């Protein structure tokens, strides 16, 4: 079997862009996460992310195991800290919060997590995580104690993305933070995409399929939604997102 990263690249090549749905174990119990997982398959979601900035619940293992068994989709952890690891996951976004200057989230948590990730054989996907100002102080901003990149400073965002690529990271994740009032500006996505060859993941505050479609047109390779499906969760909305994201090839 190929790697999860290869699977994602194939999805991007085949469908134009990929759709990743985030399940937050703090917000969803096993039962609702399981329903979500089976609906994801029907709706055409490409992979499931599981994660939280905080992780107050002890459900991570159970959620990962259940959604993987039910959906058969790759399950990728989107961690907030070094203890957010499940041996049942297929892969983990090995996120370095490159937009911030907090050493703990640039390398410290990684050193703590690396031996466990290796021991469990979870595939790490080295990812440059860039927090972009989204109109409110999100959990990521608060917990990481880092400043987001100002929305109107695409040049700063581009420089970070180029550095991520030069450091050998496999993708960049442009993130406004879960539930943010605004999403990553389309111009910023385009400016970054013009300068790097690694895939660009975009998430945070994407609440309408049309928004997802615009982000893909701007250059996003993968779109992440979380909150909106937890709030308004229904399979038809999930399907609309999938169609909007897969419509450009
Ligand atoms: C958070 O980008 C994801 O990491 C999802 O954000 O919950 O705002 O969709 P939303």
């Amino acid at each position: 079997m190929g790697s999860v990263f290869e699977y994602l690249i194939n999805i991007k090549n085949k469908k134009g862009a990929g759709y990743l749905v985030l399940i937050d174990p703090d917000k969803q119990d096993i039962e609702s996460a399981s329903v979500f997982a089976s609906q994801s398959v029907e709706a055409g979601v490409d992979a499931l992310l599981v994660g939280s900035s905080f992780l107050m619940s002890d459900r991570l293992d159970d959620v990962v195991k259940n959604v993987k068994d039910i959906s058969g989709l790759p399950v990728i952890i989107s961690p907030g800290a070094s203890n957010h690891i499940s041996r049942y996951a297929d892969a983990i976004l090995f996120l370095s919060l490159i937009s911030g200057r907090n050493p703990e989230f640039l390398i410290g948590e990684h050193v703590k997590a690396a031996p466990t990730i290796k021991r469990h054989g979870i595939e790490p996907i080295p990812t440059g995580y860039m927090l972009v100002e989204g109109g409110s102080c999100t959990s990521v901003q608060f917990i990481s104690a880092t400043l987001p990149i100002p929305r109107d400073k695409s040049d700063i965002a581009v420089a970070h993305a180029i550095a991520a690529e030069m450091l050998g990271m496999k993708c960049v994740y442009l993130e406004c933070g879960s539930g943010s009032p605004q999403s990553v500006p389309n111009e910023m996505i385009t400016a970054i995409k013009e300068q790097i060859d690694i895939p660009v993941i975009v998430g945070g505050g994407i609440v309408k399929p049309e928004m997802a479609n615009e982000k893909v047109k701007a250059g996003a390779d993968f779109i992440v939604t979380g909150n909106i499906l937890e709030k308004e969760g229904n399979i038809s909305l999930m399907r609309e997102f999938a169609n909007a994201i897969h419509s450009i090839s």
Side-chain angles (χ1 to χ4, degrees):
M1 201 183 91
S3 72
V4 173
F5 185 71
E6 282 165 19
Y7 163 85
L8 293 174
I9 296 299
N10 284 339
I11 291 287
K12 151 102 200 120
N13 292 341
K14 211 165 67 186
K15 301 184 177 176
Y19 182 26
L20 314 176
V21 163
L22 175 76
I23 296 174
D24 183 340
D26 278 350
K27 294 185 186 151
Q28 297 203 32
D29 59 20
I30 312 286
E31 207 169 298
S32 72
S34 302
V35 172
F36 216 68
S38 65
Q39 291 187 339
S40 296
V41 183
E42 262 188 75
V45 170
D46 298 303
L48 297 171
L49 295 183
V50 178
S52 170
S53 329
F54 210 48
L55 201 62
M56 284 174 272
S57 78
D58 54 7
R59 286 195 284 264
L60 182 66
D61 262 347
D62 287 339
V63 167
V64 170
K65 192 172 184 316
N66 272 276
V67 299
K68 189 178 157 168
D69 289 349
I70 288 168
S71 70
L73 291 170
V75 177
I76 307 166
I77 296 180
S78 181
S82 56
N83 59 333
H84 300 185
I85 299 172
S86 169
R87 65 197 162 102
Y88 301 111
D90 298 296
I92 183 165
L93 294 179
F94 206 52
L95 302 171
S96 183
L97 209 175
I98 58 170
S99 56
R101 298 297 179 267
N102 180 343
E104 214 34 53
F105 290 94
L106 279 165
I107 183 64
E109 293 294 309
H110 312 70
V111 174
K112 290 183 217 160
T116 309
I117 293 171
K118 193 173 174 84
R119 194 169 60 249
H120 292 317
I122 306 165
E123 177 187 334
I125 303 177
T127 303
Y129 186 84
M130 295 163 56
L131 189 57
V132 178
E133 187 190 348
S136 73
C137 178
T138 57
S139 305
V140 189
Q141 184 181 344
F142 182 78
I143 298 289
S144 67
T146 62
L147 279 178
I149 297 173
R151 317 182 45 77
D152 59 345
K153 304 283 186 201
S154 285
D155 53 344
I156 293 179
V158 168
H160 280 77
I162 296 173
E165 184 173 49
M166 286 178 171
L167 282 165
M169 292 174 179
K170 284 191 173 170
C171 46
V172 294
Y173 189 159
L174 304 180
E175 167 75 283
C176 271
S178 190
S180 65
Q182 292 170 296
S183 58
V184 177
N186 297 335
E187 313 76 61
M188 188 181 276
I189 298 169
T190 304
I192 287 174
K193 200 59 197 168
E194 279 170 4
Q195 294 290 328
I196 61 170
D197 293 322
I198 53 177
V200 174
I201 307 169
V202 179
I206 300 174
V207 292
K208 291 199 168 95
E210 307 82 66
M211 289 170 77
N213 185 268
E214 280 172 21
K215 311 269 171 241
V216 173
K217 283 186 180 145
D221 299 297
F222 297 95
I223 298 290
V224 182
T225 68
N227 249 321
I228 190 65
L229 294 169
E230 285 158 14
K231 277 187 199 151
E232 300 181 11
N234 62 57
I235 188 158
S236 59
L237 182 59
M238 212 184 256
R239 198 173 280 129
E240 279 178 47
F241 269 110
N243 291 341
I245 292 162
H246 296 149
S247 63
I248 305 139
S249 49

